[in-house]
Amino acid sequence: MITVRWWAGAAMLACVGTLLGCGDGDDRVPGAAAGTPTPSAAAPSSPAPSSPAAPADPLLSGKREISMVRVRGSGSELELSGSLVEGGDTGGRVLFVPVPIGDDRYVIKAYGTADGHPANDDPSCWQVNGLDIEPELTIQASTCDADDPIQRFTIIAQGDGTYVIGSESRTLQHAPGNGLVLKERGDAPPPTTFRFVDKGPFKREPLN
């Protein structure tokens, strides 16, 4: 009886030692310390770097004066006197500053040549002529008022150095015989585009 009890006790000790020393042999990596993750636990991947934002167009920043020329036009600059014309040579304002107000919308200020005359430094603004009747509207000069919806214009870059100018659902187009007008595109050919020419930094000091 003593011999049987001794062998039973020895067997139990051997079994306990095996459980403590070996664990589940199939799940352990040889030589790995207890609690060390197995290679199957993949490290979280780092997020891909975001692409840099496209640079803002300096000609639409409100900090540069520009002139505007119609593509496929006469080559003459746009001019704002009583109304917006192309190459009218009436002594009107030919320098413009599109001032961004959000959502690709701008108040377009017009200035005379910077020749020291204080009146040339006091702006007029583009405004849809409220006396016109659809389908063709003209643009006239007016006292600047950024809160007036008819002084808010869209300017959309075309990616080739040209721009489309519009107001609400209308675009600024050249209509033979009528000059520059705002009208619905409808089934018209591709929109009239304009090239902007940088004339230097905006440094005007208005009268008031």
Side-chain angles (χ1 to χ4, degrees), residues 87-101:
D89 195 23
T90 62
R93 298 165 184 257
V94 296
L95 297 172
F96 306 109
V97 179
V99 179
I101 57 176

Side-chain angles (χ1 to χ4, degrees), residues 19-38:
L19 291 174
L20 291 177
C22 299
D24 295 332
D26 293 339
D27 295 334
R28 291 178 58 84
V29 177
T36 302
T38 62

Side-chain angles (χ1 to χ4, degrees), residues 60-109:
L60 301 179
S61 66
K63 300 178 180 179
R64 309 293 297 183
E65 293 185 4
I66 63 173
S67 62
M68 300 182 183
V69 179
R70 178 169 64 93
V71 176
R72 299 180 182 176
S74 65
S76 299
E77 297 174 335
L78 271 57
E79 180 178 332
L80 185 68
S81 49
S83 59
L84 183 68
V85 296
E86 181 181 9
D89 195 23
T90 62
R93 298 165 184 257
V94 296
L95 297 172
F96 306 109
V97 179
V99 179
I101 57 176
D103 297 327
D104 291 322
R105 284 175 168 77
Y106 300 82
V107 170
I108 304 177
K109 296 183 177 182

Side-chain angles (χ1 to χ4, degrees), residues 147-168:
D147 293 327
D148 192 337
I150 60 176
Q151 288 191 11
R152 299 172 184 173
F153 292 84
T154 56
I155 302 179
I156 306 298
Q158 300 301 291
D160 59 356
T162 67
Y163 302 82
V164 171
I165 303 172
S167 173
E168 299 297 337

Side-chain angles (χ1 to χ4, degrees), residues 12 22 27 35 37 40 71 86 88 105 117 125 129 133 136 141 146 158 170-171 173 179 186 202:
M12 290 181 64
C22 299
D27 295 334
S40 61
V71 176
E86 181 181 9
R105 284 175 168 77
H117 195 294
C125 276
N129 190 343
I133 300 175
E136 296 181 353
Q158 300 301 291
R170 298 175 290 267
T171 60
Q173 304 177 42
F202 173 64

